[in-house]
Amino acid sequence: RDAIRPIYTPRFVTAAESRWRDDVMVIGVELAGIAKAYPVSLLTRREMVNDQLVQLPILVTWWPLCATAMVHRREIAGRDILFGNPGAMLGSAMTWWDPETGSIWS
């Protein structure tokens, strides 16, 4: 598990401080006027980011096999759940696992 290690503690800088070119493809997430950008080139190697946006736990995913981005709320019954990469697919879909229970999610 986590052979493709997700990002568990992301660090951010402002757009002006970043060294990314203006034409870099990103996954943009905005909530309540707060925005974050996740570079696809980085996620191609890591696939998942466990993060928070406006105190909401989120999971940002990039599935390089089909060039698909998704953002999920990673809070279940009021609990913040961390997700890892099990290194397996369900059919052709990306999967996640939570280290707390060992459950596989899709």
Side-chain angles (χ1 to χ4, degrees):
R1 295 193 172 168
D2 280 358
I4 300 173
R5 186 147 175 81
I7 298 169
Y8 288 107
T9 53
R11 291 178 288 151
F12 293 89
V13 298
T14 66
E17 295 169 327
S18 80
R19 295 183 179 165
W20 297 100
R21 293 175 24 166
D22 290 342
D23 63 349
V24 167
M25 187 166 58
V26 299
I27 300 167
V29 182
E30 185 271 335
L31 180 64
I34 305 296
K36 291 186 175 182
Y38 304 84
V40 168
S41 59
L42 177 64
L43 282 170
T44 296
R45 296 186 309 269
R46 302 296 288 274
E47 295 185 356
M48 309 166 76
V49 180
N50 288 272
D51 199 7
Q52 288 206 356
L53 186 58
V54 191
Q55 298 181 342
L56 177 70
I58 61 172
L59 177 67
V60 178
T61 64
W62 173 253
W63 190 228
L65 294 178
C66 59
T68 302
M70 295 181 78
V71 179
H72 311 269
R73 184 177 186 161
R74 58 180 183 82
E75 180 180 63
I76 300 169
R79 293 183 49 234
D80 180 348
I81 307 294
L82 284 177
F83 288 98
N85 190 333
M89 296 186 296
L90 179 61
S92 60
M94 184 178 199
T95 59
W96 312 276
W97 73 286
D98 75 88
E100 185 178 324
T101 67
S103 299
I104 301 293
W105 301 73
S106 175

